[in-house]
Every structure is written in structure tokens, then in C-alpha cells.
Short mmCIF file of all heavy atoms in Angstrom, two decimals:
data_model
loop_
_atom_site.label_atom_id
_atom_site.label_comp_id
_atom_site.label_asym_id
_atom_site.label_seq_id
_atom_site.Cartn_x
_atom_site.Cartn_y
_atom_site.Cartn_z
N LEU A 1 87.79 110.51 117.21
CA LEU A 1 87.03 111.46 116.39
C LEU A 1 86.31 110.66 115.32
O LEU A 1 86.92 109.81 114.65
CB LEU A 1 87.96 112.48 115.73
CG LEU A 1 87.40 113.25 114.53
CD1 LEU A 1 86.35 114.25 114.96
CD2 LEU A 1 88.51 113.95 113.74
N THR A 2 85.02 110.91 115.16
CA THR A 2 84.27 110.29 114.07
C THR A 2 83.64 111.38 113.22
O THR A 2 83.09 112.35 113.73
CB THR A 2 83.17 109.35 114.61
OG1 THR A 2 82.32 110.07 115.52
CG2 THR A 2 83.77 108.16 115.32
N THR A 3 83.71 111.20 111.91
CA THR A 3 83.05 112.11 110.97
C THR A 3 82.76 111.31 109.71
O THR A 3 82.89 110.07 109.70
CB THR A 3 83.90 113.36 110.70
OG1 THR A 3 83.15 114.30 109.93
CG2 THR A 3 85.21 113.03 110.00
N THR A 4 82.36 111.97 108.65
CA THR A 4 81.95 111.27 107.44
C THR A 4 83.03 110.30 106.96
O THR A 4 84.14 110.71 106.62
CB THR A 4 81.62 112.28 106.33
OG1 THR A 4 80.59 113.16 106.81
CG2 THR A 4 81.14 111.58 105.07
N GLN A 5 82.72 109.03 107.03
CA GLN A 5 83.58 107.94 106.54
C GLN A 5 85.00 107.98 107.12
O GLN A 5 85.95 107.56 106.46
CB GLN A 5 83.64 107.96 105.01
CG GLN A 5 82.38 107.42 104.35
CD GLN A 5 82.18 105.93 104.60
OE1 GLN A 5 81.79 105.50 105.68
NE2 GLN A 5 82.47 105.13 103.59
N LEU A 6 85.14 108.47 108.36
CA LEU A 6 86.47 108.58 108.95
C LEU A 6 86.40 108.38 110.46
O LEU A 6 85.53 108.94 111.14
CB LEU A 6 87.09 109.95 108.65
CG LEU A 6 88.44 110.26 109.30
CD1 LEU A 6 89.54 109.33 108.76
CD2 LEU A 6 88.84 111.72 109.06
N VAL A 7 87.32 107.56 110.98
CA VAL A 7 87.54 107.40 112.42
C VAL A 7 89.01 107.69 112.69
O VAL A 7 89.90 107.10 112.06
CB VAL A 7 87.19 105.98 112.89
CG1 VAL A 7 87.60 105.78 114.36
CG2 VAL A 7 85.71 105.70 112.72
N VAL A 8 89.28 108.59 113.63
CA VAL A 8 90.65 108.94 114.01
C VAL A 8 90.86 108.58 115.47
O VAL A 8 90.09 109.01 116.34
CB VAL A 8 90.92 110.45 113.80
CG1 VAL A 8 92.36 110.78 114.21
CG2 VAL A 8 90.68 110.84 112.34
N LEU A 9 91.89 107.80 115.75
CA LEU A 9 92.27 107.45 117.11
C LEU A 9 93.52 108.22 117.50
O LEU A 9 94.45 108.36 116.69
CB LEU A 9 92.57 105.95 117.23
CG LEU A 9 91.51 104.96 116.75
CD1 LEU A 9 92.02 103.54 116.92
CD2 LEU A 9 90.21 105.15 117.50
N ALA A 10 93.55 108.72 118.73
CA ALA A 10 94.73 109.42 119.23
C ALA A 10 94.84 109.19 120.73
O ALA A 10 93.83 108.99 121.42
CB ALA A 10 94.65 110.92 118.93
N GLY A 11 96.07 109.22 121.24
CA GLY A 11 96.24 109.07 122.68
C GLY A 11 97.50 108.30 123.02
O GLY A 11 98.34 108.02 122.16
N GLU A 12 97.59 107.95 124.31
CA GLU A 12 98.80 107.37 124.85
C GLU A 12 98.51 105.97 125.40
O GLU A 12 97.50 105.77 126.08
CB GLU A 12 99.35 108.25 125.98
CG GLU A 12 99.73 109.65 125.52
CD GLU A 12 98.52 110.55 125.29
OE1 GLU A 12 97.62 110.56 126.14
OE2 GLU A 12 98.47 111.22 124.23
N ILE A 13 99.42 105.04 125.15
CA ILE A 13 99.18 103.65 125.50
C ILE A 13 100.45 102.96 126.00
O ILE A 13 101.57 103.41 125.75
CB ILE A 13 98.64 102.85 124.29
CG1 ILE A 13 99.63 102.96 123.12
CG2 ILE A 13 97.26 103.33 123.89
CD1 ILE A 13 99.28 102.08 121.94
N ARG A 14 100.23 101.88 126.72
CA ARG A 14 101.29 100.94 127.10
C ARG A 14 100.61 99.61 127.36
O ARG A 14 99.68 99.54 128.18
CB ARG A 14 102.03 101.42 128.35
CG ARG A 14 103.29 100.60 128.68
CD ARG A 14 103.99 101.17 129.89
NE ARG A 14 103.33 100.80 131.13
CZ ARG A 14 103.53 101.43 132.29
NH1 ARG A 14 104.32 102.48 132.35
NH2 ARG A 14 102.91 101.02 133.38
N CYS A 15 101.03 98.56 126.69
CA CYS A 15 100.34 97.29 126.82
C CYS A 15 101.24 96.14 126.39
O CYS A 15 101.72 96.12 125.25
CB CYS A 15 99.06 97.30 125.96
SG CYS A 15 98.07 95.80 126.08
N LYS A 16 101.44 95.18 127.27
CA LYS A 16 102.24 94.01 126.94
C LYS A 16 101.59 93.22 125.81
O LYS A 16 100.38 92.97 125.82
CB LYS A 16 102.38 93.11 128.17
CG LYS A 16 103.19 93.72 129.30
CD LYS A 16 103.21 92.80 130.51
CE LYS A 16 103.98 93.45 131.65
NZ LYS A 16 103.97 92.61 132.89
N GLY A 17 102.39 92.88 124.84
CA GLY A 17 101.89 92.12 123.71
C GLY A 17 101.20 92.94 122.66
O GLY A 17 100.76 92.40 121.63
N VAL A 18 101.09 94.26 122.89
CA VAL A 18 100.46 95.15 121.91
C VAL A 18 101.40 96.29 121.54
O VAL A 18 101.71 96.50 120.37
CB VAL A 18 99.12 95.71 122.43
CG1 VAL A 18 98.54 96.70 121.42
CG2 VAL A 18 98.14 94.59 122.69
N TYR A 19 101.86 97.03 122.55
CA TYR A 19 102.75 98.16 122.30
C TYR A 19 103.74 98.24 123.44
O TYR A 19 103.39 98.57 124.57
CB TYR A 19 101.95 99.46 122.20
CG TYR A 19 102.76 100.65 121.70
CD1 TYR A 19 102.79 100.97 120.35
CD2 TYR A 19 103.49 101.44 122.58
CE1 TYR A 19 103.54 102.06 119.89
CE2 TYR A 19 104.23 102.52 122.14
CZ TYR A 19 104.25 102.83 120.79
OH TYR A 19 104.99 103.90 120.34
N GLU A 20 105.02 97.91 123.16
CA GLU A 20 106.07 97.91 124.17
C GLU A 20 107.34 98.52 123.58
O GLU A 20 107.67 98.29 122.41
CB GLU A 20 106.37 96.50 124.64
CG GLU A 20 105.22 95.79 125.33
CD GLU A 20 105.60 94.40 125.79
OE1 GLU A 20 106.16 94.28 126.90
OE2 GLU A 20 105.36 93.43 125.04
N ASN A 21 108.02 99.31 124.41
CA ASN A 21 109.30 99.90 124.02
C ASN A 21 109.21 100.66 122.69
O ASN A 21 110.12 100.60 121.85
CB ASN A 21 110.38 98.81 123.93
CG ASN A 21 110.55 98.06 125.24
OD1 ASN A 21 110.59 98.67 126.31
ND2 ASN A 21 110.62 96.73 125.16
N GLY A 22 108.09 101.34 122.53
CA GLY A 22 107.93 102.18 121.35
C GLY A 22 107.61 101.43 120.08
O GLY A 22 107.64 102.02 118.99
N GLN A 23 107.25 100.14 120.19
CA GLN A 23 107.01 99.35 118.99
C GLN A 23 105.67 98.62 119.09
O GLN A 23 105.28 98.14 120.16
CB GLN A 23 108.13 98.30 118.83
CG GLN A 23 109.51 98.88 118.64
CD GLN A 23 109.67 99.62 117.33
OE1 GLN A 23 109.12 99.20 116.30
NE2 GLN A 23 110.42 100.72 117.34
N TRP A 24 104.99 98.53 117.95
CA TRP A 24 103.76 97.75 117.87
C TRP A 24 104.10 96.27 117.72
O TRP A 24 105.01 95.90 116.96
CB TRP A 24 102.93 98.17 116.67
CG TRP A 24 102.27 99.51 116.81
CD1 TRP A 24 102.69 100.70 116.27
CD2 TRP A 24 101.07 99.79 117.53
NE1 TRP A 24 101.83 101.70 116.61
CE2 TRP A 24 100.82 101.18 117.39
CE3 TRP A 24 100.18 99.03 118.28
CZ2 TRP A 24 99.72 101.81 117.96
CZ3 TRP A 24 99.09 99.64 118.86
CH2 TRP A 24 98.86 101.01 118.70
N ALA A 25 103.39 95.42 118.42
CA ALA A 25 103.51 93.99 118.21
C ALA A 25 102.93 93.62 116.85
O ALA A 25 102.04 94.31 116.33
CB ALA A 25 102.80 93.22 119.32
N GLU A 26 103.39 92.52 116.29
CA GLU A 26 102.91 92.09 114.99
C GLU A 26 101.40 91.82 115.05
O GLU A 26 100.91 91.12 115.93
CB GLU A 26 103.64 90.82 114.55
CG GLU A 26 103.27 90.36 113.15
CD GLU A 26 104.07 89.14 112.70
OE1 GLU A 26 104.99 88.74 113.44
OE2 GLU A 26 103.75 88.59 111.63
N GLY A 27 100.67 92.41 114.12
CA GLY A 27 99.24 92.20 114.02
C GLY A 27 98.40 93.09 114.93
O GLY A 27 97.15 93.08 114.84
N ALA A 28 99.05 93.87 115.82
CA ALA A 28 98.30 94.66 116.80
C ALA A 28 97.48 95.76 116.13
O ALA A 28 96.31 95.99 116.49
CB ALA A 28 99.25 95.26 117.83
N GLN A 29 98.07 96.45 115.17
CA GLN A 29 97.35 97.55 114.53
C GLN A 29 96.16 97.03 113.71
O GLN A 29 95.10 97.67 113.65
CB GLN A 29 98.30 98.36 113.66
CG GLN A 29 99.37 99.08 114.47
CD GLN A 29 100.19 100.03 113.64
OE1 GLN A 29 99.77 101.14 113.33
NE2 GLN A 29 101.40 99.61 113.26
N GLU A 30 96.34 95.86 113.12
CA GLU A 30 95.24 95.25 112.38
C GLU A 30 94.10 94.86 113.33
O GLU A 30 92.92 94.98 112.98
CB GLU A 30 95.74 94.03 111.61
CG GLU A 30 96.66 94.34 110.43
CD GLU A 30 98.10 94.68 110.86
OE1 GLU A 30 98.43 94.51 112.06
OE2 GLU A 30 98.88 95.13 110.00
N GLU A 31 94.45 94.40 114.53
CA GLU A 31 93.42 94.03 115.51
C GLU A 31 92.67 95.26 116.01
O GLU A 31 91.45 95.21 116.24
CB GLU A 31 94.06 93.28 116.68
CG GLU A 31 93.05 92.60 117.57
CD GLU A 31 93.67 91.62 118.53
OE1 GLU A 31 94.92 91.51 118.59
OE2 GLU A 31 92.89 90.94 119.24
N ILE A 32 93.38 96.37 116.14
CA ILE A 32 92.72 97.62 116.52
C ILE A 32 91.73 98.05 115.44
O ILE A 32 90.59 98.43 115.72
CB ILE A 32 93.77 98.72 116.79
CG1 ILE A 32 94.50 98.42 118.10
CG2 ILE A 32 93.12 100.10 116.83
CD1 ILE A 32 95.71 99.30 118.35
N GLU A 33 92.16 97.99 114.18
CA GLU A 33 91.25 98.36 113.08
C GLU A 33 90.03 97.45 113.05
O GLU A 33 88.89 97.93 112.87
CB GLU A 33 91.98 98.29 111.75
CG GLU A 33 91.08 98.62 110.57
CD GLU A 33 91.81 98.72 109.24
OE1 GLU A 33 92.99 99.10 109.24
OE2 GLU A 33 91.17 98.42 108.21
N ALA A 34 90.23 96.16 113.26
CA ALA A 34 89.10 95.23 113.26
C ALA A 34 88.14 95.54 114.41
O ALA A 34 86.92 95.42 114.26
CB ALA A 34 89.61 93.80 113.38
N THR A 35 88.68 95.97 115.55
CA THR A 35 87.85 96.32 116.70
C THR A 35 87.00 97.55 116.38
O THR A 35 85.81 97.60 116.73
CB THR A 35 88.74 96.59 117.93
OG1 THR A 35 89.45 95.39 118.26
CG2 THR A 35 87.91 97.03 119.12
N VAL A 36 87.59 98.52 115.72
CA VAL A 36 86.84 99.73 115.34
C VAL A 36 85.69 99.35 114.40
O VAL A 36 84.54 99.76 114.61
CB VAL A 36 87.77 100.76 114.67
CG1 VAL A 36 86.95 101.91 114.08
CG2 VAL A 36 88.80 101.29 115.67
N ARG A 37 85.99 98.59 113.38
CA ARG A 37 84.96 98.23 112.40
C ARG A 37 83.85 97.40 113.05
O ARG A 37 82.67 97.60 112.76
CB ARG A 37 85.59 97.48 111.22
CG ARG A 37 86.54 98.34 110.40
CD ARG A 37 86.92 97.69 109.09
NE ARG A 37 87.98 98.44 108.44
CZ ARG A 37 87.79 99.56 107.74
NH1 ARG A 37 86.56 100.03 107.60
NH2 ARG A 37 88.81 100.19 107.19
N ARG A 38 84.23 96.48 113.90
CA ARG A 38 83.22 95.64 114.56
C ARG A 38 82.31 96.49 115.45
O ARG A 38 81.08 96.27 115.48
CB ARG A 38 83.90 94.56 115.40
CG ARG A 38 82.92 93.61 116.07
CD ARG A 38 83.63 92.45 116.74
NE ARG A 38 84.52 92.87 117.80
CZ ARG A 38 85.85 92.86 117.72
NH1 ARG A 38 86.45 92.43 116.62
NH2 ARG A 38 86.59 93.25 118.73
N THR A 39 82.86 97.47 116.13
CA THR A 39 82.05 98.33 116.99
C THR A 39 81.04 99.12 116.18
O THR A 39 79.86 99.19 116.53
CB THR A 39 82.96 99.29 117.78
OG1 THR A 39 83.90 98.53 118.56
CG2 THR A 39 82.15 100.18 118.71
N VAL A 40 81.49 99.69 115.08
CA VAL A 40 80.58 100.47 114.22
C VAL A 40 79.51 99.57 113.61
O VAL A 40 78.34 99.94 113.51
CB VAL A 40 81.38 101.21 113.13
CG1 VAL A 40 80.45 101.93 112.15
CG2 VAL A 40 82.36 102.20 113.75
N LYS A 41 79.90 98.36 113.23
CA LYS A 41 78.93 97.41 112.67
C LYS A 41 77.87 97.03 113.69
O LYS A 41 76.67 96.98 113.38
CB LYS A 41 79.67 96.16 112.19
CG LYS A 41 78.76 95.11 111.56
CD LYS A 41 79.55 93.87 111.14
CE LYS A 41 78.64 92.83 110.48
NZ LYS A 41 79.41 91.61 110.09
N GLU A 42 78.30 96.79 114.93
CA GLU A 42 77.35 96.39 115.97
C GLU A 42 76.38 97.51 116.31
O GLU A 42 75.21 97.26 116.65
CB GLU A 42 78.11 95.93 117.22
CG GLU A 42 78.81 94.59 117.02
CD GLU A 42 79.71 94.22 118.18
OE1 GLU A 42 79.90 95.07 119.09
OE2 GLU A 42 80.25 93.10 118.18
#
């Protein structure tokens, strides 16, 4: 969801090295945020 100065992500995932056994890998959430910002910038 995108709206004024806000991006909301929702959904279901499974990914080795990112999200396993109900836990985020270290730095994964920060990499997701950086990906969002880079996309909007581009």
C-alpha cells in the first residue's frame, strides 16, 4: 500500500537467510527498507 509519505508491506514469506522458523535474519528488515527506498528513488 502506498499513500502520502507511507509504504505498508503485508503478506506471507519464507526465505533462507532472510526469514526462517518465524525469525528475521540479522539485517534482513533493514535490507527490505533499503529496497523500498531505492525503488521509490529510481
Side-chain angles (χ1 to χ4, degrees):
L1 162 71
T2 55
T3 188
T4 303
Q5 285 293 75
L6 176 65
V7 173
V8 179
L9 306 178
E12 299 75 45
I13 57 173
R14 189 177 77 198
C15 182
K16 293 177 182 177
V18 176
Y19 190 93
E20 297 181 85
N21 302 316
Q23 298 293 323
W24 288 101
E26 184 177 354
Q29 294 188 79
E30 290 78 9
E31 193 167 5
I32 288 170
E33 178 173 329
T35 298
V36 171
R37 294 192 189 280
R38 182 173 62 253
T39 302
V40 175
K41 181 181 181 181
E42 289 172 353

